[in-house]
Amino acid sequence: RLYTPLELSFSASKLRNMDALSKSDPMLVVYTKMDGRLEEIGRTEVILNSLEPLWITKAMINYQFEIVQPLVFRIYDVDTKYHNTPLKTLNLAQQDFLGEAFCNLSEIVTKFNHSLTLNLRNGSGHALQGTVTVHAEETASSRMAVDMQFHCLNLDNKDTFSKSDPFLRVSRLSESAVAIPICKTEVIKNNLNPVWRPITLTSQQYSSKDDPLLVECFDFDASGNHELIGSLQTTIAQLENLYNSKAGANFYSHKGQKKLKGQLFLDKFQEKVQHTFLDYISSGFELNFMVAVDFTASNGDPRVPQSLHYIDPSGRPNSYQQAILGVSEVLQFYDNDRRFPAWGFGAKIPRGSVSHCFNLNASTNDCEVVGVEGIMSAYSSTLYSVSLAGPTLFGPVISKAAEIASHSVQYGNNKYFVLLIITVCNIYPHVTSVQKFYPSIVVCRMELSPTSKKQKILL
């Protein structure tokens, strides 16, 4: 998974005082919820005699955009007799419980300053005195990257009737000396003194400036059996020194047995801070979520359990409901008003003909519904009011979504539009039985240029 390392810091205010002759000695424990289970990810230090603690100890967590990451924060008043007990071995059941709070990690990172204040509650969910504030910050190292441009001189020729077609591959060496490829250049045809286009390595790829890297130069072969021209072991720090000295580093033969005449040079070495997804979100950039559902007859009769649109009386969500929930529960936190345009297509609507773009809420004027619950409710109601038909046409829905996105650009809004199309897909074209149809997802990103007013739709 792609992720962004975050550092969580904590403070609390107006905590309950559980001590008779002094103030509480609070400590915070943070958990993440995995498959319904709480998994502890960190504990702060104990702050003596304070109802307004500002803890120093941080907690580390990897932020992943594509999943919901529930967090639980619990605050305890640590009894005096346990102050010399190591925090990790402290029995929480023996401490006074001051309250707990819940949120999703995305609720923190979408705030302007990445800070969220939550009211404390007891174990039964009733409000208690006090609040906890959580602040998320990207670690500096996670934002660093290096732009580099390489060239080589005097490479060995591995071809008989022409010159080698060299390219570079950069790998990170693990603790067990296993080479993990992280980047490669393009192939330069018929050249023993190649100059490659610049490459970028992020700190997540190279880990540390002093961690070992392996740079290998290969002679490209269309069969995939690329022949090694030479290799060398280095680090980002050593590559920086190589650039500053304007010197070259010699390649070595397989397993470093022989020093070769071919040398590696750096024409560019530039460290930079990369703007991340969280930078855009915290600066006011907003995601707008739109959804369109396939109501063509290829889904099968909704009254039949084999249909993808079948509503199970037991309450078990069908395939469409699962897809709606899976995506919208993630994206909803990035949409400020949580009002989502929702359409259907491929059905015969009441007192009308087959429509390839109709409002899921049955309104003639407004296509928006409120929250994930609004999408689910509108979907269920539509199933009972339309007749499944066809054919499957995406064009009208995409055009409507693009129109909404275009209006946003005209008003200078910083928005990124995501259109989710949930449609049936027959993975066995030669089989016509409805059991062989499965729901598939098409995501359209509306990329808009404020200057040219042009739009680009990517499927």
Side-chain angles (χ1 to χ4, degrees), residues 177-192:
V178 174
I180 304 170
I182 57 177
C183 185
K184 66 179 179 180
T185 67
E186 77 280 12
V187 176
I188 303 293
K189 292 286 188 178
N190 201 35
N191 196 325
L192 301 181

Side-chain angles (χ1 to χ4, degrees), residues 282-313:
S282 63
S283 64
F285 208 85
E286 184 181 349
L287 289 183
N288 281 155
F289 174 55
M290 302 178 280
V291 62
V293 178
D294 183 342
F295 286 96
T296 59
S298 54
N299 288 280
D301 188 340
R303 297 168 294 182
V304 179
Q306 290 76 19
S307 170
L308 295 173
H309 279 309
Y310 178 69
I311 301 295
D312 195 327

Side-chain angles (χ1 to χ4, degrees), residues 301-357:
D301 188 340
R303 297 168 294 182
V304 179
Q306 290 76 19
S307 170
L308 295 173
H309 279 309
Y310 178 69
I311 301 295
D312 195 327
S314 68
R316 182 176 178 273
N318 63 30
S319 298
Y320 279 91
Q321 290 170 316
Q322 291 177 43
I324 292 171
L325 285 171
V327 178
S328 59
E329 283 187 340
V330 171
L331 292 179
Q332 65 173 329
F333 298 108
Y334 303 92
D335 194 317
N336 289 342
D337 61 7
R338 299 193 184 181
R339 297 181 63 87
F340 310 127
W343 301 287
F345 61 91
K348 184 177 181 181
I349 59 179
R351 297 179 299 279
S353 57
V354 175
S355 173
H356 299 292
C357 184

Side-chain angles (χ1 to χ4, degrees), residues 400-413 417 448 453 455:
K400 185 65 177 177
E403 179 185 340
I404 293 175
S406 298
H407 289 162
S408 176
V409 171
Q410 292 175 4
Y411 291 106
N413 296 327
F417 291 84
L448 302 168
K453 297 296 188 293
Q455 60 195 24

Side-chain angles (χ1 to χ4, degrees), residues 216-256:
E216 299 168 291
C217 185
F218 290 94
D219 177 22
F220 176 83
D221 193 301
S223 68
N225 297 320
H226 312 308
E227 187 173 359
L228 182 67
I229 297 176
S231 64
L232 61 89
Q233 188 171 321
T234 185
T235 66
I236 291 293
Q238 290 172 350
L239 290 174
E240 183 177 15
N241 291 335
L242 197 66
Y243 169 75
N244 291 331
S245 66
K246 304 302 180 184
N250 286 85
F251 284 110
Y252 289 82
S253 62
H254 183 59
K255 295 183 179 179

Side-chain angles (χ1 to χ4, degrees), residues 44 80 107-108 116 164 174 197 226 228 241 307 311 314 398:
T44 67
T80 306
E107 294 180 79
I108 303 173
L116 179 65
S164 296
S174 67
R197 291 194 296 266
H226 312 308
L228 182 67
N241 291 335
S307 170
I311 301 295
S314 68
I398 294 177

